[in-house]
Amino acid sequence: MTQTIDRRRFCKLSLGAGLLATAANPSSAPILAQNNSTSNATSSFGLHKASASPIKIRSIEVLRYGQDHFIRTTSTDGAIGICVTNGREYLFPLLKELVIPYFIGKDARDLEMLVDGVYRVNSNYKLAGLAFWNCVGWVDISLMDMLGHVANKSIGELLGGVKRREIPVYISSTRRDTTPEEEVDIVGKRMAETGSKAVKMKVGGRMSRNEDAAPGRSERLVALARKTFGDRVTIYMDANGSYDVPRGIEIGKMLEAHGVAIYEEPCPFDEYENTKQVTDALKITVAGGEQDTSLARFKWITSNHALDVVQPDINYHGGLIRTAQVAQMAATANLGIAPHNPKTGAREAHLLQFASWAP
């Protein structure tokens, strides 16, 4: 049963070291398999350094405060880790029945092996995909937080060392129901309020098979945004998988003509060869990967340079460990990484921790 905790008790439980301590040869073969195993993905992050003794997991609970839900992990010695979920309460039965039981009684220092083991146990691999890995991600984040409390280290330090304490940010609009004039006005006001010098807006219609949100909206929006904001503002555009290859390239060249810096998800996210064709045809930086949960597919993407920047979502992809493995793949291929996270407030704490370490 989901439990409710009061605000004062939640703050006492959550304000600790873990979350808050610090702001090969490419193959062109078709993608045929989905291997989610972490066992051969990367070298160890050395989580046993967090403690000389085992950190046994006693309980993993789902808590609620208002409209927010949290995963609280407790060790047999009383150490606590917290993850603020990204919503999706409809996944809680999957979390409670298939994910949480596997972790109980295990040593949290073995997290790298555990996120592999929960995929294989009881044929959970038959459920591989965003819904399953999102549940694992919540547990992974809470366990990393708990390890941080025990070791008195930030998650960035646990992963291998803090490389940065500041990151550039942009404001993002998720709307397609506005006219170009309305959108530029709304975004412009937010930029003035925040001082942001970069913005991301939407083109296309979201998995829309070349249909725009409104006829001509994308072309008009891009041109108006550049004219209004000038050359000192960095502009990104997200298509959310709206296009096939010819239209994706056509839109990409239009974005290039207006000096847009990043073109996100031109083709449906699982059309990897099509995405690579678009990337190969353009000079603009092409990004994507927020919906992907397969390490093997990320390996294909990075080895074949199907994208210039990979964007795994830390929740969707199964947590910090698996996302860190994607970061290592990207670094090996000399690609960028910018994890997807549309949330704000405490829900972005794990992203900031990851960014402090990311290669």
Side-chain angles (χ1 to χ4, degrees):
M1 178 178 295
T2 300
Q3 300 180 32
T4 301
I5 57 175
D6 61 62
R7 179 177 179 274
R8 180 175 296 177
R9 185 167 176 233
F10 167 67
C11 289
K12 180 179 179 182
L13 292 174
S14 64
L15 296 178
L19 276 177
L20 301 176
T22 183
N25 291 329
S27 169
S28 59
I31 306 166
L32 301 176
Q34 176 170 339
N35 176 11
N36 290 280
S37 173
T38 65
S39 57
N40 295 317
T42 184
S43 59
S44 171
F45 293 100
L47 296 182
H48 274 246
K49 295 178 181 178
S51 173
S53 303
I55 306 172
K56 297 290 186 179
I57 303 166
R58 185 182 71 196
S59 64
I60 301 175
E61 306 162 280
V62 181
L63 309 175
R64 185 185 68 206
Y65 173 70
Q67 299 299 311
D68 297 320
H69 288 84
F70 314 88
I71 308 302
R72 181 175 67 182
T73 301
T74 307
S75 74
T76 54
D77 293 329
I80 289 174
I82 294 285
C83 169
V84 186
T85 74
N86 58 340
R88 305 183 184 277
E89 291 82 3
Y90 53 82
L91 297 178
F92 288 169
L94 181 63
L95 169 71
K96 294 175 180 179
E97 295 175 25
L98 299 182
V99 176
I100 286 177
Y102 174 78
F103 287 88
I104 302 302
K106 304 291 199 306
D107 186 347
R109 301 175 305 165
D110 293 331
L111 183 55
E112 289 180 75
M113 291 186 293
L114 296 180
V115 294
D116 183 33
V118 72
Y119 166 69
R120 294 182 287 107
V121 72
N122 298 326
S123 299
N124 280 345
Y125 59 84
K126 294 181 182 292
L127 301 173
L130 191 151
F132 173 77
W133 285 112
N134 201 142
C135 294
V136 177
W138 294 332
V139 174
D140 167 287
I141 294 166
S142 71
L143 287 171
M144 287 293 287
D145 185 42
M146 184 174 72
L147 290 170
H149 283 282
V150 172
N152 195 30
K153 292 183 177 181
S154 70
I155 288 173
E157 291 172 309
L158 288 178
L159 288 172
V162 172
K163 298 179 177 66
R164 63 190 64 82
R165 296 189 179 275
E166 293 184 357
I167 58 172
V169 299
Y170 60 87
I171 63 171
S172 178
S173 172
T174 61
R175 299 183 63 173
R176 286 185 167 91
D177 61 340
T178 54
T179 67
E181 292 77 15
E182 291 170 336
E183 186 72 350
V184 168
D185 181 61
I186 293 168
V187 169
K189 289 177 180 177
R190 288 294 292 145
M191 293 177 67
E193 292 169 359
T194 62
S196 173
K197 298 299 182 183
V199 61
K200 182 171 80 173
M201 294 176 287
K202 301 292 188 177
V203 293
R206 180 179 287 271
M207 301 287 283
S208 57
R209 299 184 178 182
N210 293 333
E211 185 177 353
D212 209 343
R217 180 183 184 274
S218 295
E219 290 87 348
R220 289 170 51 218
L221 173 62
V222 174
L224 182 60
R226 179 54 73 204
K227 179 181 178 180
T228 303
F229 301 146
D231 293 335
R232 290 183 294 178
V233 171
T234 301
I235 298 176
Y236 305 151
M237 288 290 172
D238 185 359
N240 289 115
S242 291
Y243 307 123
D244 60 15
V245 173
R247 183 60 172 160
I249 294 172
E250 181 183 2
I251 291 292
K253 290 186 179 298
M254 181 270 291
L255 298 180
E256 289 176 345
H258 290 286
V260 173
I262 293 180
Y263 183 18
E264 186 173 339
E265 212 171 54
C267 302
F269 71 91
D270 54 354
E271 295 181 5
Y272 301 98
E273 288 90 351
N274 288 350
T275 298
K276 176 174 169 52
Q277 289 183 57
V278 173
T279 301
D280 288 347
L282 298 173
K283 297 178 181 178
I284 189 173
T285 296
V286 179
E290 70 184 67
Q291 314 289 351
D292 284 289
T293 60
S294 167
L295 288 167
R297 289 178 178 172
F298 268 114
K299 180 63 175 177
W300 190 93
I301 290 169
T302 55
S303 295
N304 289 278
H305 203 144
L307 294 164
D308 301 305
V309 175
V310 292
Q311 297 176 299
D313 184 293
I314 296 173
N315 284 293
Y316 298 167
H317 187 62
L320 290 152
I321 291 297
R322 297 180 89 245
T323 306
Q325 291 165 346
V326 174
Q328 292 178 327
M329 295 178 194
T332 298
N334 198 30
L335 304 181
I337 183 168
H340 171 262
N341 183 41
K343 306 298 182 179
T344 58
R347 288 186 176 92
E348 63 183 349
H350 60 274
L351 173 62
L352 297 176
Q353 290 281 346
F354 180 88
S356 75
W357 162 84

